[in-house]
Amino acid sequence: MKRVLFIIQFDSFAKTLIPTIKNLIKDDYLCDVVLLKKRFKKGWITDQILALFKQIESNLNAFRQLYQSDAMRMIDHNGYDLIVVGTSNTRLIVSIKNLLKKKSMKSKIASGYVGALLNNDFESFKKGLIRRSESDLI
């Protein structure tokens, strides 16, 4: 059975990824979801955000609110086939890639770029792509 980890931060990524999570669960994937907490940006995980996950929470293998270091430990211990990074913290992608290399893990990384088309500014678009370039799929 395939294992997928979703690391999500902010409502735009949650709303975008929940339909994908639903479909994977329906196709018998084991899905874990981490709502990524930030030490200095508290408060994004509200009751409204948690309510978005109510319909799928009981079908998830794991549903946690973690800091980045705890999410990295989760990756190290669980051997995911796919790690979906839904956060604007693109340094996390590099950290995950380095962990995978260090531990000789074969996990693939997919990342989203929710704001790719919002600014209509080529330099911002290019910068966002470069930051996500360590992903296997954007």
Side-chain angles (χ1 to χ4, degrees):
M1 185 171 289
K2 299 280 185 175
R3 295 195 68 172
V4 182
L5 172 63
F6 290 86
I7 301 174
I8 299 173
Q9 187 175 42
F10 305 123
D11 63 333
S12 57
F13 288 103
K15 290 174 184 173
T16 301
L17 290 172
I18 286 174
T20 302
I21 297 168
K22 284 181 184 178
N23 285 326
L24 289 173
I25 290 169
K26 190 167 61 173
D27 289 339
D28 293 325
Y29 284 75
L30 280 178
C31 294
D32 294 351
V33 172
V34 168
L35 300 183
L36 193 62
K37 299 190 310 187
K38 291 284 267 182
R39 295 204 188 283
F40 302 108
K41 275 190 176 179
K42 299 184 188 305
W44 86 267
I45 304 174
T46 62
D47 289 340
Q48 291 171 320
I49 296 295
L50 295 174
L52 295 172
F53 290 92
K54 281 293 180 205
Q55 58 187 317
I56 63 169
E57 186 176 353
S58 63
N59 296 318
L60 295 171
N61 186 56
F63 182 65
R64 298 191 175 109
Q65 299 176 38
L66 300 174
Y67 291 106
Q68 181 175 322
S69 58
D70 297 319
M72 296 297 285
R73 277 191 284 284
M74 198 168 166
I75 292 167
D76 188 22
H77 295 320
N78 287 300
Y80 294 100
D81 296 291
L82 176 64
I83 301 164
V84 179
V85 181
T87 175
S88 57
N89 177 6
T90 51
R91 283 177 276 181
L92 176 60
I93 296 167
V94 174
S95 296
I96 293 170
K97 190 72 163 192
N98 290 338
L99 174 68
L100 297 177
K101 282 181 185 177
K102 180 180 175 183
K103 299 289 186 162
S104 299
M105 299 170 82
K106 303 291 184 206
S107 305
K108 299 296 183 195
I109 302 171
S111 62
Y113 194 177
V114 175
L117 303 175
L118 295 179
N119 295 336
N120 201 18
D121 173 18
F122 180 72
E123 288 304 314
S124 297
F125 176 76
K126 188 170 77 174
K127 184 178 176 182
L129 286 179
I130 290 168
R131 287 181 172 174
R132 291 164 177 84
S133 65
E134 291 293 324
S135 300
D136 297 293
L137 175 69
I138 301 173

